[in-house]
Short mmCIF file of all heavy atoms in Angstrom, two decimals:
data_model
loop_
_atom_site.label_atom_id
_atom_site.label_comp_id
_atom_site.label_asym_id
_atom_site.label_seq_id
_atom_site.Cartn_x
_atom_site.Cartn_y
_atom_site.Cartn_z
N MET A 1 134.89 78.20 111.14
CA MET A 1 134.05 78.61 110.02
C MET A 1 133.74 80.10 110.14
O MET A 1 134.32 80.81 110.95
CB MET A 1 132.76 77.79 110.08
CG MET A 1 132.21 77.21 108.79
SD MET A 1 133.33 76.63 107.57
CE MET A 1 132.37 76.98 106.16
N PHE A 2 132.82 80.59 109.34
CA PHE A 2 132.46 82.00 109.34
C PHE A 2 131.29 82.24 110.29
O PHE A 2 130.43 81.39 110.47
CB PHE A 2 132.07 82.45 107.94
CG PHE A 2 133.21 82.40 106.97
CD1 PHE A 2 133.28 81.40 106.02
CD2 PHE A 2 134.22 83.34 107.02
CE1 PHE A 2 134.34 81.34 105.13
CE2 PHE A 2 135.28 83.29 106.14
CZ PHE A 2 135.34 82.28 105.19
N GLU A 3 131.28 83.43 110.86
CA GLU A 3 130.18 83.81 111.75
C GLU A 3 129.21 84.73 111.01
O GLU A 3 129.52 85.28 109.96
CB GLU A 3 130.73 84.52 112.98
CG GLU A 3 131.61 83.62 113.83
CD GLU A 3 132.12 84.33 115.07
OE1 GLU A 3 131.55 85.38 115.40
OE2 GLU A 3 133.07 83.82 115.67
N PHE A 4 128.05 84.89 111.62
CA PHE A 4 127.01 85.70 110.99
C PHE A 4 127.44 87.16 110.84
O PHE A 4 127.08 87.81 109.86
CB PHE A 4 125.73 85.61 111.83
CG PHE A 4 124.62 86.48 111.31
CD1 PHE A 4 123.95 86.15 110.14
CD2 PHE A 4 124.25 87.64 111.97
CE1 PHE A 4 122.94 86.94 109.65
CE2 PHE A 4 123.23 88.44 111.48
CZ PHE A 4 122.58 88.08 110.31
N GLN A 5 128.20 87.67 111.76
CA GLN A 5 128.60 89.08 111.71
C GLN A 5 129.48 89.39 110.50
O GLN A 5 129.49 90.51 110.01
CB GLN A 5 129.33 89.47 112.99
CG GLN A 5 128.41 89.48 114.20
CD GLN A 5 129.16 89.82 115.47
OE1 GLN A 5 130.39 89.85 115.47
NE2 GLN A 5 128.44 90.05 116.54
N GLN A 6 130.16 88.38 110.01
CA GLN A 6 130.98 88.60 108.82
C GLN A 6 130.12 88.77 107.57
O GLN A 6 130.55 89.36 106.59
CB GLN A 6 131.95 87.44 108.63
CG GLN A 6 133.00 87.39 109.72
CD GLN A 6 133.88 86.16 109.59
OE1 GLN A 6 133.42 85.14 109.10
NE2 GLN A 6 135.12 86.28 110.03
N TYR A 7 128.91 88.22 107.58
CA TYR A 7 128.02 88.33 106.45
C TYR A 7 127.06 89.50 106.56
O TYR A 7 126.30 89.75 105.63
CB TYR A 7 127.18 87.05 106.29
CG TYR A 7 127.99 85.85 105.88
CD1 TYR A 7 128.20 84.80 106.76
CD2 TYR A 7 128.55 85.77 104.61
CE1 TYR A 7 128.93 83.69 106.38
CE2 TYR A 7 129.28 84.67 104.23
CZ TYR A 7 129.47 83.63 105.12
OH TYR A 7 130.18 82.55 104.74
N LEU A 8 127.05 90.20 107.68
CA LEU A 8 126.05 91.23 107.92
C LEU A 8 126.14 92.36 106.89
O LEU A 8 125.12 92.79 106.35
CB LEU A 8 126.20 91.78 109.34
CG LEU A 8 125.05 92.62 109.86
CD1 LEU A 8 123.76 91.81 109.80
CD2 LEU A 8 125.33 93.05 111.28
N GLY A 9 127.32 92.83 106.58
CA GLY A 9 127.46 93.89 105.59
C GLY A 9 126.99 93.47 104.22
O GLY A 9 126.33 94.22 103.50
N PHE A 10 127.34 92.24 103.85
CA PHE A 10 126.91 91.71 102.56
C PHE A 10 125.40 91.56 102.51
O PHE A 10 124.77 91.89 101.49
CB PHE A 10 127.59 90.37 102.30
CG PHE A 10 127.23 89.76 100.98
CD1 PHE A 10 127.62 90.35 99.79
CD2 PHE A 10 126.49 88.60 100.94
CE1 PHE A 10 127.29 89.80 98.58
CE2 PHE A 10 126.14 88.03 99.73
CZ PHE A 10 126.55 88.62 98.54
N LEU A 11 124.79 91.10 103.58
CA LEU A 11 123.33 90.96 103.62
C LEU A 11 122.63 92.31 103.56
O LEU A 11 121.60 92.45 102.89
CB LEU A 11 122.91 90.18 104.86
CG LEU A 11 123.28 88.70 104.88
CD1 LEU A 11 122.91 88.09 106.22
CD2 LEU A 11 122.63 87.97 103.75
N ILE A 12 123.19 93.30 104.22
CA ILE A 12 122.61 94.66 104.16
C ILE A 12 122.72 95.20 102.73
O ILE A 12 121.78 95.79 102.20
CB ILE A 12 123.29 95.58 105.18
CG1 ILE A 12 122.89 95.17 106.59
CG2 ILE A 12 122.92 97.04 104.93
CD1 ILE A 12 123.65 95.90 107.67
N PHE A 13 123.87 94.98 102.10
CA PHE A 13 124.04 95.42 100.71
C PHE A 13 123.04 94.73 99.79
O PHE A 13 122.41 95.40 98.94
CB PHE A 13 125.47 95.11 100.25
CG PHE A 13 125.67 95.26 98.77
CD1 PHE A 13 125.71 96.52 98.19
CD2 PHE A 13 125.78 94.14 97.96
CE1 PHE A 13 125.88 96.66 96.83
CE2 PHE A 13 125.96 94.28 96.60
CZ PHE A 13 126.01 95.54 96.03
N LEU A 14 122.84 93.42 99.94
CA LEU A 14 121.88 92.71 99.10
C LEU A 14 120.46 93.20 99.36
O LEU A 14 119.66 93.31 98.42
CB LEU A 14 121.96 91.21 99.36
CG LEU A 14 123.12 90.48 98.70
CD1 LEU A 14 123.05 88.99 99.02
CD2 LEU A 14 123.15 90.71 97.21
N THR A 15 120.13 93.51 100.60
CA THR A 15 118.80 94.01 100.92
C THR A 15 118.54 95.35 100.25
O THR A 15 117.50 95.56 99.63
CB THR A 15 118.63 94.14 102.45
OG1 THR A 15 118.87 92.86 103.05
CG2 THR A 15 117.25 94.62 102.81
N ILE A 16 119.50 96.26 100.36
CA ILE A 16 119.34 97.59 99.74
C ILE A 16 119.29 97.46 98.22
O ILE A 16 118.47 98.12 97.56
CB ILE A 16 120.48 98.52 100.19
CG1 ILE A 16 120.32 98.82 101.68
CG2 ILE A 16 120.49 99.81 99.39
CD1 ILE A 16 121.47 99.57 102.28
N LEU A 17 120.12 96.60 97.64
CA LEU A 17 120.13 96.41 96.19
C LEU A 17 118.79 95.84 95.72
O LEU A 17 118.22 96.31 94.73
CB LEU A 17 121.26 95.46 95.80
CG LEU A 17 121.40 95.17 94.31
CD1 LEU A 17 121.94 96.40 93.60
CD2 LEU A 17 122.31 93.98 94.09
N THR A 18 118.26 94.88 96.45
CA THR A 18 116.98 94.27 96.07
C THR A 18 115.84 95.28 96.20
O THR A 18 114.96 95.36 95.33
CB THR A 18 116.70 93.04 96.94
OG1 THR A 18 117.81 92.14 96.82
CG2 THR A 18 115.45 92.33 96.52
N MET A 19 115.85 96.07 97.28
CA MET A 19 114.80 97.08 97.45
C MET A 19 114.88 98.11 96.32
O MET A 19 113.85 98.52 95.78
CB MET A 19 114.96 97.77 98.81
CG MET A 19 114.58 96.89 99.98
SD MET A 19 115.07 97.56 101.57
CE MET A 19 114.27 99.13 101.57
N GLY A 20 116.07 98.50 95.94
CA GLY A 20 116.23 99.45 94.84
C GLY A 20 115.77 98.88 93.51
O GLY A 20 115.15 99.57 92.71
N PHE A 21 116.06 97.60 93.30
CA PHE A 21 115.62 96.95 92.07
C PHE A 21 114.11 96.93 91.97
O PHE A 21 113.55 97.29 90.93
CB PHE A 21 116.18 95.53 92.02
CG PHE A 21 115.66 94.71 90.88
CD1 PHE A 21 116.11 94.94 89.59
CD2 PHE A 21 114.71 93.73 91.10
CE1 PHE A 21 115.63 94.18 88.53
CE2 PHE A 21 114.23 92.97 90.05
CZ PHE A 21 114.68 93.20 88.77
N TRP A 22 113.41 96.52 93.03
CA TRP A 22 111.96 96.44 92.98
C TRP A 22 111.33 97.83 92.92
O TRP A 22 110.31 98.02 92.28
CB TRP A 22 111.40 95.65 94.16
CG TRP A 22 111.67 94.20 94.00
CD1 TRP A 22 112.49 93.44 94.77
CD2 TRP A 22 111.17 93.34 92.97
NE1 TRP A 22 112.51 92.16 94.29
CE2 TRP A 22 111.71 92.06 93.20
CE3 TRP A 22 110.31 93.53 91.90
CZ2 TRP A 22 111.42 90.99 92.37
CZ3 TRP A 22 110.02 92.45 91.07
CH2 TRP A 22 110.57 91.20 91.32
N LEU A 23 111.95 98.83 93.54
CA LEU A 23 111.46 100.20 93.44
C LEU A 23 111.59 100.70 92.00
O LEU A 23 110.67 101.34 91.47
CB LEU A 23 112.23 101.11 94.39
CG LEU A 23 111.83 102.58 94.38
CD1 LEU A 23 110.38 102.74 94.85
CD2 LEU A 23 112.76 103.39 95.25
N MET A 24 112.72 100.38 91.36
CA MET A 24 112.90 100.78 89.96
C MET A 24 111.85 100.12 89.08
O MET A 24 111.26 100.78 88.20
CB MET A 24 114.30 100.39 89.49
CG MET A 24 114.58 100.79 88.07
SD MET A 24 116.10 100.11 87.43
CE MET A 24 115.70 98.38 87.33
N ILE A 25 111.58 98.83 89.27
CA ILE A 25 110.57 98.14 88.47
C ILE A 25 109.20 98.78 88.69
O ILE A 25 108.45 99.01 87.74
CB ILE A 25 110.54 96.64 88.84
CG1 ILE A 25 111.84 95.95 88.44
CG2 ILE A 25 109.35 95.93 88.19
CD1 ILE A 25 112.14 95.96 86.96
N PHE A 26 108.86 99.09 89.93
CA PHE A 26 107.58 99.73 90.23
C PHE A 26 107.47 101.08 89.55
O PHE A 26 106.44 101.39 88.93
CB PHE A 26 107.42 99.88 91.74
CG PHE A 26 106.23 100.69 92.14
CD1 PHE A 26 104.95 100.17 92.04
CD2 PHE A 26 106.39 101.99 92.59
CE1 PHE A 26 103.85 100.93 92.39
CE2 PHE A 26 105.30 102.76 92.94
CZ PHE A 26 104.02 102.22 92.84
N LEU A 27 108.50 101.90 89.63
CA LEU A 27 108.44 103.23 89.04
C LEU A 27 108.39 103.17 87.52
O LEU A 27 107.67 103.96 86.89
CB LEU A 27 109.64 104.06 89.50
CG LEU A 27 109.63 104.46 90.98
CD1 LEU A 27 110.91 105.20 91.33
CD2 LEU A 27 108.42 105.29 91.31
N VAL A 28 109.11 102.26 86.91
CA VAL A 28 109.07 102.12 85.46
C VAL A 28 107.67 101.71 85.02
O VAL A 28 107.12 102.25 84.05
CB VAL A 28 110.14 101.12 84.97
CG1 VAL A 28 109.90 100.69 83.55
CG2 VAL A 28 111.52 101.75 85.10
N ASN A 29 107.07 100.76 85.72
CA ASN A 29 105.71 100.34 85.37
C ASN A 29 104.72 101.47 85.59
O ASN A 29 103.77 101.64 84.81
CB ASN A 29 105.29 99.12 86.19
CG ASN A 29 105.97 97.87 85.69
OD1 ASN A 29 106.30 97.75 84.53
ND2 ASN A 29 106.20 96.94 86.59
N PHE A 30 104.90 102.26 86.63
CA PHE A 30 104.02 103.40 86.88
C PHE A 30 104.13 104.41 85.76
O PHE A 30 103.11 104.94 85.29
CB PHE A 30 104.38 104.04 88.22
CG PHE A 30 103.51 105.21 88.58
CD1 PHE A 30 102.21 105.02 88.99
CD2 PHE A 30 104.00 106.50 88.48
CE1 PHE A 30 101.40 106.09 89.30
CE2 PHE A 30 103.21 107.58 88.79
CZ PHE A 30 101.90 107.38 89.21
N VAL A 31 105.34 104.68 85.29
CA VAL A 31 105.53 105.65 84.19
C VAL A 31 104.89 105.12 82.92
O VAL A 31 104.22 105.88 82.19
CB VAL A 31 107.03 105.95 84.00
CG1 VAL A 31 107.28 106.69 82.69
CG2 VAL A 31 107.56 106.76 85.17
N PHE A 32 105.06 103.83 82.61
CA PHE A 32 104.42 103.27 81.41
C PHE A 32 102.91 103.33 81.52
O PHE A 32 102.22 103.60 80.53
CB PHE A 32 104.87 101.82 81.19
CG PHE A 32 106.25 101.71 80.58
CD1 PHE A 32 107.07 100.65 80.92
CD2 PHE A 32 106.71 102.63 79.66
CE1 PHE A 32 108.33 100.53 80.36
CE2 PHE A 32 107.96 102.52 79.10
CZ PHE A 32 108.78 101.46 79.46
N TYR A 33 102.37 103.08 82.69
CA TYR A 33 100.93 103.15 82.90
C TYR A 33 100.43 104.58 82.68
O TYR A 33 99.40 104.81 82.05
CB TYR A 33 100.59 102.67 84.30
CG TYR A 33 99.14 102.76 84.67
CD1 TYR A 33 98.22 101.87 84.16
CD2 TYR A 33 98.69 103.76 85.53
CE1 TYR A 33 96.88 101.94 84.49
CE2 TYR A 33 97.35 103.86 85.86
CZ TYR A 33 96.46 102.94 85.34
OH TYR A 33 95.14 103.04 85.67
N TRP A 34 101.19 105.56 83.18
CA TRP A 34 100.83 106.97 83.06
C TRP A 34 100.87 107.40 81.59
O TRP A 34 99.94 108.05 81.08
CB TRP A 34 101.79 107.78 83.92
CG TRP A 34 101.51 109.23 83.97
CD1 TRP A 34 100.33 109.84 84.22
CD2 TRP A 34 102.47 110.29 83.78
NE1 TRP A 34 100.49 111.21 84.20
CE2 TRP A 34 101.79 111.50 83.93
CE3 TRP A 34 103.84 110.30 83.50
CZ2 TRP A 34 102.43 112.72 83.80
CZ3 TRP A 34 104.47 111.52 83.39
CH2 TRP A 34 103.77 112.71 83.53
N VAL A 35 101.93 107.05 80.88
CA VAL A 35 102.06 107.43 79.48
C VAL A 35 101.01 106.72 78.64
O VAL A 35 100.41 107.33 77.74
CB VAL A 35 103.49 107.12 78.97
CG1 VAL A 35 103.59 107.27 77.46
CG2 VAL A 35 104.50 108.02 79.65
N GLY A 36 100.76 105.44 78.92
CA GLY A 36 99.74 104.71 78.18
C GLY A 36 98.35 105.30 78.39
O GLY A 36 97.57 105.39 77.44
N GLY A 37 98.03 105.69 79.62
CA GLY A 37 96.74 106.33 79.89
C GLY A 37 96.62 107.66 79.18
O GLY A 37 95.54 108.00 78.66
N TYR A 38 97.69 108.42 79.13
CA TYR A 38 97.68 109.70 78.43
C TYR A 38 97.43 109.49 76.93
O TYR A 38 96.61 110.18 76.32
CB TYR A 38 99.00 110.44 78.65
CG TYR A 38 99.16 111.67 77.80
CD1 TYR A 38 98.48 112.85 78.11
CD2 TYR A 38 99.97 111.66 76.66
CE1 TYR A 38 98.61 113.98 77.32
CE2 TYR A 38 100.10 112.78 75.87
CZ TYR A 38 99.43 113.94 76.20
OH TYR A 38 99.55 115.06 75.42
N LEU A 39 98.14 108.53 76.35
CA LEU A 39 97.97 108.28 74.91
C LEU A 39 96.57 107.76 74.60
O LEU A 39 95.98 108.14 73.59
CB LEU A 39 99.03 107.28 74.43
CG LEU A 39 100.47 107.79 74.44
CD1 LEU A 39 101.43 106.67 74.07
CD2 LEU A 39 100.64 108.98 73.52
N TRP A 40 96.03 106.90 75.45
CA TRP A 40 94.68 106.38 75.25
C TRP A 40 93.64 107.51 75.34
O TRP A 40 92.71 107.56 74.57
CB TRP A 40 94.40 105.28 76.26
CG TRP A 40 93.03 104.70 76.15
CD1 TRP A 40 91.99 104.86 77.02
CD2 TRP A 40 92.52 103.89 75.09
NE1 TRP A 40 90.89 104.18 76.57
CE2 TRP A 40 91.18 103.58 75.38
CE3 TRP A 40 93.07 103.39 73.92
CZ2 TRP A 40 90.40 102.80 74.55
CZ3 TRP A 40 92.30 102.61 73.09
CH2 TRP A 40 90.97 102.33 73.41
N ASP A 41 93.84 108.42 76.29
CA ASP A 41 92.93 109.55 76.44
C ASP A 41 93.00 110.47 75.22
O ASP A 41 91.97 110.94 74.73
CB ASP A 41 93.26 110.32 77.71
CG ASP A 41 92.20 111.34 78.07
OD1 ASP A 41 91.02 110.98 78.01
OD2 ASP A 41 92.58 112.48 78.41
N GLN A 42 94.20 110.70 74.72
CA GLN A 42 94.34 111.53 73.53
C GLN A 42 93.66 110.88 72.32
O GLN A 42 93.01 111.55 71.52
CB GLN A 42 95.83 111.78 73.21
CG GLN A 42 96.52 112.65 74.22
CD GLN A 42 95.95 114.04 74.25
OE1 GLN A 42 95.69 114.65 73.22
NE2 GLN A 42 95.74 114.57 75.44
N TYR A 43 93.80 109.57 72.20
CA TYR A 43 93.16 108.84 71.11
C TYR A 43 91.64 108.96 71.20
O TYR A 43 90.96 109.20 70.20
CB TYR A 43 93.60 107.38 71.14
CG TYR A 43 92.80 106.49 70.23
CD1 TYR A 43 92.98 106.55 68.85
CD2 TYR A 43 91.88 105.60 70.73
CE1 TYR A 43 92.25 105.74 68.00
CE2 TYR A 43 91.14 104.78 69.89
CZ TYR A 43 91.33 104.86 68.53
OH TYR A 43 90.60 104.05 67.69
N LYS A 44 91.10 108.80 72.41
CA LYS A 44 89.65 108.90 72.58
C LYS A 44 89.16 110.32 72.28
O LYS A 44 88.10 110.49 71.67
CB LYS A 44 89.25 108.50 74.00
CG LYS A 44 89.37 107.02 74.25
CD LYS A 44 88.70 106.54 75.53
CE LYS A 44 88.82 107.46 76.69
NZ LYS A 44 88.34 106.88 77.95
N GLN A 45 89.93 111.33 72.67
CA GLN A 45 89.53 112.71 72.38
C GLN A 45 89.55 112.99 70.89
O GLN A 45 88.65 113.64 70.36
CB GLN A 45 90.43 113.69 73.12
CG GLN A 45 90.18 113.75 74.61
CD GLN A 45 91.10 114.73 75.31
OE1 GLN A 45 91.90 115.41 74.67
NE2 GLN A 45 90.99 114.80 76.63
N LYS A 46 90.58 112.52 70.20
CA LYS A 46 90.64 112.74 68.75
C LYS A 46 89.51 112.01 68.04
O LYS A 46 88.91 112.53 67.10
CB LYS A 46 91.99 112.26 68.20
CG LYS A 46 93.13 113.19 68.51
CD LYS A 46 94.41 112.71 67.89
CE LYS A 46 95.57 113.62 68.27
NZ LYS A 46 96.84 113.18 67.69
N ARG A 47 89.21 110.79 68.49
CA ARG A 47 88.12 110.04 67.89
C ARG A 47 86.78 110.73 68.12
O ARG A 47 85.95 110.82 67.21
CB ARG A 47 88.10 108.62 68.46
CG ARG A 47 87.10 107.71 67.77
CD ARG A 47 87.20 106.30 68.26
NE ARG A 47 86.89 106.29 69.69
CZ ARG A 47 86.93 105.21 70.46
NH1 ARG A 47 87.28 104.06 69.94
NH2 ARG A 47 86.64 105.27 71.74
N ALA A 48 86.57 111.27 69.32
CA ALA A 48 85.32 111.97 69.63
C ALA A 48 85.21 113.25 68.82
O ALA A 48 84.13 113.57 68.31
CB ALA A 48 85.24 112.26 71.12
N SER A 49 86.31 114.00 68.68
CA SER A 49 86.22 115.23 67.90
C SER A 49 86.01 114.93 66.42
O SER A 49 85.31 115.66 65.73
CB SER A 49 87.49 116.06 68.10
OG SER A 49 88.61 115.40 67.54
N ARG A 50 86.57 113.84 65.92
CA ARG A 50 86.38 113.45 64.52
C ARG A 50 84.92 113.06 64.29
O ARG A 50 84.34 113.39 63.25
CB ARG A 50 87.30 112.29 64.18
CG ARG A 50 87.39 112.00 62.71
CD ARG A 50 88.37 110.89 62.35
NE ARG A 50 89.54 110.87 63.18
CZ ARG A 50 90.02 109.74 63.76
NH1 ARG A 50 89.41 108.60 63.56
NH2 ARG A 50 91.10 109.79 64.51
N GLU A 51 84.31 112.36 65.26
CA GLU A 51 82.91 111.96 65.12
C GLU A 51 81.98 113.17 65.16
O GLU A 51 80.99 113.22 64.45
CB GLU A 51 82.53 110.96 66.21
CG GLU A 51 83.15 109.59 66.02
CD GLU A 51 82.84 108.65 67.16
OE1 GLU A 51 82.17 109.08 68.14
OE2 GLU A 51 83.26 107.50 67.09
N THR A 52 82.31 114.18 65.97
CA THR A 52 81.45 115.37 66.02
C THR A 52 81.58 116.19 64.74
O THR A 52 80.61 116.82 64.30
CB THR A 52 81.79 116.25 67.24
OG1 THR A 52 83.17 116.61 67.18
CG2 THR A 52 81.49 115.52 68.53
N LEU A 53 82.76 116.19 64.13
CA LEU A 53 82.93 116.94 62.86
C LEU A 53 82.20 116.25 61.72
O LEU A 53 81.73 116.90 60.79
CB LEU A 53 84.40 117.08 62.53
CG LEU A 53 85.22 118.03 63.41
CD1 LEU A 53 86.68 118.00 63.02
CD2 LEU A 53 84.68 119.45 63.31
N GLU A 54 82.14 114.93 61.76
CA GLU A 54 81.44 114.20 60.67
C GLU A 54 79.93 114.38 60.74
O GLU A 54 79.26 114.33 59.73
CB GLU A 54 81.80 112.71 60.74
CG GLU A 54 83.23 112.42 60.34
CD GLU A 54 83.57 110.95 60.50
OE1 GLU A 54 82.72 110.18 60.98
OE2 GLU A 54 84.70 110.57 60.14
N ASN A 55 79.39 114.58 61.93
CA ASN A 55 77.92 114.70 62.08
C ASN A 55 77.47 116.09 61.88
O ASN A 55 77.64 117.06 61.66
CB ASN A 55 77.46 114.22 63.44
CG ASN A 55 77.66 112.71 63.56
OD1 ASN A 55 77.62 112.01 62.54
ND2 ASN A 55 77.88 112.25 64.74
#
């Protein structure tokens, strides 16, 4: 049958691929969180400036 050493390269490849996949998911979520926070802050600033102009 097959020995563990024959699968070692494949297991290392799968480990690196999986780590890269989860890192990509983390970074994409971080970027969406950053952009969403920026847009929410801009909305709050525009709303506050509109309220000060009305008063």
Side-chain angles (χ1 to χ4, degrees):
M1 223 37 211
F2 295 105
E3 296 181 16
F4 177 72
Q5 291 178 350
Q6 293 175 330
Y7 292 111
L8 194 57
F10 181 67
L11 291 175
I12 290 172
F13 168 73
L14 282 181
T15 302
I16 292 172
L17 180 72
T18 305
M19 289 168 57
F21 173 75
W22 287 114
L23 179 64
M24 181 189 69
I25 294 298
F26 172 75
L27 291 176
V28 165
N29 286 331
F30 181 74
V31 167
F32 282 147
Y33 177 75
W34 184 49
V35 170
Y38 171 76
L39 292 175
W40 179 251
D41 191 45
Q42 291 296 316
Y43 169 73
K44 288 193 322 188
Q45 287 180 3
K46 285 183 182 180
R47 187 174 61 183
S49 67
R50 192 177 324 132
E51 288 176 358
T52 57
L53 289 176
E54 289 177 356
N55 292 332

